[in-house]
Amino acid sequence: MAVVWLDDVGADDLELVGGKGASLGELTTAGLPVPPGFVVTANTYRSFIEEAEIDEELFAAMDIDHEDSAELKAAHETARDLITNTPMPEAVRSEILEAYRQIGDGEAFVAVRSSATAEDLPDASFAGQQDTYLNVTEEELLDRVRACWASLFSERAIYYRNRKGFPHEKVDIAVVVQQMVDAEKSGVMFTRHPSTGEKQVIIEAAWGLGEAVVSGTVSPDNYVVNRANGEVETATIADKKTMCIRDSDSGQTVDMEVPNEKRHARVLDESEVGRLVELGELVEDHYETPQDVEWAVYDGEVYMLQSRPITTISEDDMKAKNGESKTSSDNDMLLRGLGASPGIASGRARIVTKLDHLDQVADGDIIVTKMTMPDMVPAMKRAAGIVTDEGGMTSHAAIVSRELGVPAVVGTSTATSTIEDGDVITIDGDKGTIREGEEPEEKQRQPVEDARPKTPVKPMTATEVKVNVSIPEAAERAAATGADGVGLLRIEHMVLTLGKTPERYIEDNSEQEFVDEIISGVREVAEEFYPRPVRVRTLDAPTDEFRQLQGGENEPREHNPMLGYRGIRRGLDNPHIFKLELAAFRRLYELGYDNLEIMFPLVNDAEDVIRAKQYMVEAGIDPDKREWGVMIETPAAALSVGDMANAGIKFASFGTNDLTQYTLAVDRNNEHVAPIYDELHPAVLKLIGDTIETCRELGVKTSICGQAGSKPKMVQFLVDKGISSISANIDAVRDVQHEVKRVEQRLILDSVR
Ligand code: PEP
Ligand code: MG
């Protein structure tokens, strides 16, 4: 049997049909209405490679140095050619086609999805790594199945398995073939309230196919249903401007305007809401845990397309309901600073004045230091908390500890002299306090789990909510927030960890090593988020930060490095390093990371943009094909965004850390002027507001990736102005998602009242 029907498989058949197949089968066999389909089993793929005797050659080709991009490419091409040039056995072909003809009217459009399986391996699905094809017809079906098989050996997949040490021969692939539902309406449903865990069903619904709702490009209607009596408590009807449909001629998915009479009309009637609630209860009972469901309505029938558990709600909310919240401690206050990374932690203080003291930092200690440095990252990972004398909310200590999920208090001025090495202390990274003594274990609160949204999926917002990442180690935690992508990946933190300046790499003739380091750091993040977009910024480290590295002695000495030789001005003045960065991006595109976007820092005008674009072209990156843009960090950039749009930028992202310091003439690292550093100053807001307006007129996307994007007031201002996306710190993503949703709903209400 080459294929099995979804009605005949369930959760226990993971090895035969892979993760996707098993979960759709489980829903089908539980009697829930799932569009009909079958699975070309993992055994079919296995027999295909074994009987054609290509298996040994296939696996032998994977024995490569995966960090060597040429070898990786060759391995991928060998595998692809072996699989796509080997004919499918006649019996398998006819079985697949026969099964296909039994779906719908025998000529249905189907979705063909890879569903990987990996016996005894921890992460069988390698999420998002294998191909999916939509709107497939009989003619293309067999090729698409083979393409799914071959996608098990994409460069990214080979790299991923080699790096994690997963044996290639243990990974198989099944392929799900399922009827596409020509949805008239679709959306998502949470069987419990996403934030509170209350027994309410929340439904979001829009016209047409689900893509628009899931990707957040349309504001859907929102229905809140009381599960105890089935009553719709609130129905918020959105202004639904666009919808996704399938073009009946081409079979492709296209966007269209919602016809006028439907724009403000309610999508779901009472009986459809009732049916959804009924299905929600069935699926929750079946899995015995709250679910997040994707659904569609076609020809009066409600179909379930996918269901995933909401695992985080109940526990946290139980705690909240039991009143287990943070209590203040009676211990003596030692010091105050800025709460830079949330969480409460107790531990033994380790005063670190020299790097060789880092060995003494044991698991669970609290690092107390003047200012953290990139070499400290391994010790920061072991630490329970971080305290610094210097620094503000955008300092190295603040950024890195937030990303690592380690509570931190920065800018205490005197911690290294006030606290004794070995003292037991408790730090509160929300309030910015340091107390003597230990807090009971249950009152300590690590923020790691806090980063995971309590909501099952992100609240559906038209404005995208992304996350900032500076160290690849934080990628997994950042991705777990459910953010829509990375709005800023700063590569200088990665480069500072290398121990040598980029110039020194060149002096040592190790250019390729430098390029490979960038590839490997960026790839870690791009991989974790794929296919969500990752916006990578070219180097922007002030010269004083490079000074501590080997080769740093040759960095120019500047009176004020913040106003000095950094960002794109350095890249353009001395392009050999800039070219290496672009070479790394080009290679990453070749490796399949088409989710990467390139962002240039500290540009002032269109001239900067035109020159940077020229280097992109010279590096073999097609500016028309790729997403690229600039940071708006200087008033000059804000005022010349129109010219930059004409030069081709596709997005402009507000770096408010710099935009504030350059607008108000307040050094962001100078504690003497810290009280007047105000990202919400009317002048800063005016520059931002005007830039958004110009960009909207010219079709350029706008976003924010400065620290202020994590502040509710800034979020309100930006959403009101119509920003396209907001990128927040890991710990703030969840709150920003909710804040965005709240503002968007207010805007919808205002427009209909
Ligand atoms: C900014 O200036 O707001 C920004 C995000 O860049 P950085 O903090 O790295 O200067
Ligand atoms: Mg900046």
Side-chain angles (χ1 to χ4, degrees):
M1 287 274 286
V3 307
V4 287
W5 287 93
L6 287 176
D7 326 49
D8 296 328
V9 292
D12 297 336
D13 297 306
L14 209 71
E15 277 176 33
L16 186 69
V17 296
K20 236 175 245 147
S23 78
L24 285 168
E26 181 71 18
L27 287 173
T28 311
T29 42
L32 290 155
V34 175
F38 60 88
V39 186
V40 180
T41 67
N43 295 345
T44 307
Y45 156 77
R46 178 57 63 159
S47 328
F48 166 76
I49 56 167
E50 284 177 1
E51 282 163 23
E53 295 181 357
I54 56 171
D55 52 335
E56 282 180 17
E57 197 179 340
L58 189 59
F59 299 134
M62 300 303 126
D63 187 13
I64 53 158
D65 169 6
H66 56 271
E67 297 295 349
D68 181 326
S69 14
E71 288 192 31
L72 197 55
K73 195 167 178 194
H76 154 68
E77 285 170 358
T78 308
R80 185 199 54 204
D81 293 349
L82 278 173
I83 292 175
T84 51
N85 294 338
T86 303
M88 214 186 249
E90 191 43 47
V92 174
R93 294 167 66 92
S94 55
E95 218 183 305
I96 295 175
L97 291 177
E98 225 165 82
Y100 167 81
R101 290 178 195 132
Q102 290 177 47
I103 295 180
D105 59 3
E107 295 180 358
F109 283 106
V110 287
V112 178
R113 300 176 200 275
S114 305
S115 178
T117 88
E119 198 190 330
D120 300 333
L121 295 179
D123 178 6
S125 64
F126 313 118
Q129 291 207 354
Q130 285 83 38
D131 288 354
T132 283
Y133 301 95
L134 301 179
N135 307 313
V136 175
T137 56
E138 173 168 346
E139 214 177 301
E140 309 147 332
L141 178 60
L142 296 173
D143 282 346
R144 295 302 193 209
V145 170
R146 247 181 340 182
C148 284
W149 290 347
S151 72
L152 200 51
F153 298 94
S154 67
E155 288 186 62
R156 288 181 44 232
I158 300 170
Y159 175 83
Y160 181 86
R161 288 196 294 271
N162 275 14
R163 191 159 157 263
K164 302 242 170 187
F166 290 175
H168 294 276
E169 52 281 13
K170 284 215 164 189
V171 184
D172 280 339
I173 186 163
V175 180
V176 178
V177 178
Q178 193 184 22
Q179 182 169 13
M180 305 251 340
V181 175
D182 256 335
E184 290 140 14
K185 11 183 129 168
S186 51
V188 293
M189 162 169 67
F190 315 133
T191 64
R192 293 276 182 129
H193 190 287
S195 314
T196 63
E198 293 296 326
K199 275 199 128 189
Q200 288 173 318
V201 171
I202 313 294
I203 302 170
E204 305 207 307
W207 301 112
L209 302 173
E211 278 91 328
V213 181
V214 174
S215 67
T217 53
V218 65
S219 299
D221 285 0
N222 180 291
Y223 307 84
V224 179
V225 186
N226 182 331
R227 270 175 65 171
N229 56 18
E231 267 172 32
V232 178
E233 288 178 344
T234 53
T236 310
I237 311 306
D239 175 4
K240 299 164 287 286
K241 295 194 179 86
T242 55
M243 64 195 276
C244 234
I245 57 155
R246 190 166 53 249
D247 181 71
S248 50
D249 295 330
S250 67
Q252 296 311 305
T253 306
V254 291
D255 286 338
M256 63 171 267
E257 271 186 25
V258 174
N260 260 346
E261 68 280 10
K262 281 181 149 184
R263 241 177 91 159
H264 299 285
R266 178 176 160 141
V267 174
L268 294 176
D269 61 29
E270 291 280 341
S271 78
E272 287 163 332
V273 171
R275 174 70 177 143
L276 273 166
V277 172
E278 188 188 334
L279 291 176
E281 301 215 327
L282 280 173
V283 73
E284 186 177 301
D285 284 352
H286 180 75
Y287 286 111
E288 296 177 349
T289 172
Q291 296 286 303
D292 140 29
V293 175
E294 274 176 38
W295 57 266
V297 173
Y298 172 62
D299 210 11
E301 286 293 318
V302 179
Y303 289 95
M304 294 186 60
L305 306 181
Q306 177 167 303
S307 185
R308 288 176 295 211
I310 313 169
T311 47
T312 46
I313 289 181
S314 33
E315 248 177 67
D316 289 7
D317 286 330
M318 290 326 281
K319 279 189 194 153
K321 279 175 192 147
N322 295 342
E324 287 177 33
S325 55
K326 198 171 66 189
T327 56
S328 66
S329 159
D330 297 332
N331 294 329
D332 290 339
M333 177 82 77
L334 279 174
L335 271 174
R336 269 184 193 282
L338 287 170
S341 174
I344 299 172
S346 300
R348 198 167 288 282
R350 279 289 159 234
I351 312 286
V352 177
T353 49
K354 289 212 185 96
L355 282 182
D356 56 9
H357 293 176
L358 284 174
D359 294 349
Q360 292 159 23
V361 177
D363 280 356
D365 283 350
I366 292 181
I367 296 178
V368 180
T369 186
K370 199 163 150 221
M371 186 58 206
T372 62
M373 286 181 280
D375 319 49
M376 289 188 182
V377 171
M380 290 169 79
K381 282 196 228 163
R382 295 197 290 275
I386 319 271
V387 178
T388 68
D389 289 348
E390 298 174 353
M393 295 296 283
T394 61
S395 60
H396 178 269
I399 291 174
V400 174
S401 46
R402 269 198 300 270
E403 293 195 3
L404 293 173
V406 179
V409 178
V410 302
T412 59
S413 302
T414 57
T416 51
S417 48
T418 313
I419 300 169
E420 294 278 325
D421 192 67
D423 280 356
V424 173
I425 56 172
T426 295
I427 71 169
D428 184 330
D430 294 276
K431 298 203 184 85
T433 56
I434 300 164
R435 297 169 188 277
E436 255 182 319
E438 192 168 10
E439 193 82 340
E441 185 101 2
E442 66 278 8
K443 286 191 191 158
Q444 294 183 34
R445 192 169 55 81
Q446 293 279 332
V448 177
E449 280 310 312
D450 292 2
R452 293 184 193 280
K454 306 269 190 303
T455 33
V457 291
K458 66 188 165 78
M460 292 302 157
T461 56
T463 315
E464 290 177 316
V465 179
K466 300 185 181 174
V467 62
N468 293 340
V469 178
S470 294
I471 51 172
E473 292 93 324
E476 192 181 346
R477 200 168 155 255
T481 60
D484 294 312
V486 173
L488 168 64
L489 171 59
R490 293 175 164 100
I491 63 172
E492 55 276 5
H493 285 258
M494 236 180 264
V495 171
L496 289 167
T497 323
L498 300 177
K500 315 203 250 195
T501 60
E503 308 277 356
R504 178 53 65 87
Y505 274 94
I506 292 175
E507 281 158 30
D508 294 350
N509 291 324
S510 325
E511 284 96 337
Q512 191 53 44
E513 208 183 302
F514 179 67
V515 171
D516 287 343
E517 290 287 1
I518 298 180
I519 293 176
S520 107
V522 172
R523 166 149 60 183
E524 214 170 314
V525 184
E527 181 62 59
E528 192 65 51
F529 275 82
Y530 196 88
R532 291 180 273 176
V534 173
R535 197 167 276 180
V536 190
R537 185 174 74 180
T538 57
L539 260 181
D540 181 16
T543 46
D544 55 337
E545 291 190 14
F546 276 136
R547 187 150 302 115
Q548 30 168 320
L549 307 182
Q550 272 178 53
E553 61 284 4
N554 299 328
E555 287 290 302
R557 294 209 170 257
E558 298 182 295
H559 188 60
N560 188 340
M562 276 298 183
L563 292 173
Y565 202 43
R566 54 175 287 217
I568 200 69
R569 56 183 71 165
R570 183 169 185 165
L572 296 176
D573 178 62
N574 197 358
H576 50 276
I577 293 162
F578 188 49
K579 285 182 184 172
L580 297 180
E581 294 170 56
L582 294 171
F585 292 141
R586 185 209 154 131
R587 180 63 192 133
L588 285 157
Y589 285 129
E590 281 170 7
L591 286 168
Y593 296 99
D594 49 11
N595 56 333
L596 285 184
E597 303 179 355
I598 303 177
M599 177 155 71
F600 299 120
L602 220 69
V603 297
N604 267 338
D605 48 38
E607 175 69 23
D608 286 344
V609 172
I610 291 163
R611 292 178 64 199
K613 184 178 170 186
Q614 186 55 34
Y615 283 113
M616 263 168 78
V617 174
E618 283 169 23
I621 300 169
D622 182 350
D624 294 332
K625 245 175 83 190
R626 304 296 176 190
E627 283 293 306
W628 64 282
V630 296
M631 301 274 295
I632 301 291
E633 290 165 295
T634 66
L639 296 170
S640 46
V641 76
D643 293 338
M644 295 199 276
N646 291 334
I649 58 164
K650 299 186 184 175
F651 62 79
S653 181
F654 299 106
T656 41
N657 306 341
D658 279 321
L659 186 59
T660 306
Q661 77 168 346
Y662 299 135
T663 304
L664 304 179
V666 177
D667 179 345
R668 64 196 243 198
N669 285 341
N670 180 341
E671 66 267 28
H672 301 294
V673 285
I676 50 172
Y677 180 87
D678 176 13
E679 296 132 316
L680 294 163
H681 189 286
V684 178
L685 296 184
K686 169 99 174 95
L687 285 169
I688 295 177
D690 290 355
T691 306
I692 295 178
E693 201 178 311
T694 311
C695 286
R696 280 170 64 118
E697 280 162 16
L698 298 174
V700 170
K701 289 187 210 137
T702 46
S703 54
I704 181 169
C705 57
Q707 180 67 21
S710 300
K711 295 189 169 171
K713 279 216 169 95
M714 183 60 101
V715 172
Q716 287 159 18
F717 172 80
L718 295 170
V719 177
D720 257 335
K721 290 282 174 200
I723 199 160
S724 330
S725 66
I726 291 179
S727 192
N729 302 327
I730 295 180
D731 51 273
V733 168
R734 192 187 48 200
D735 289 346
V736 171
Q737 287 168 335
H738 284 288
E739 193 59 43
V740 168
K741 173 108 194 181
R742 201 172 6 250
V743 181
E744 287 181 354
Q745 284 188 332
R746 179 176 51 70
L747 289 172
I748 293 169
L749 284 176
D750 287 352
S751 74
V752 293
R753 271 177 185 150

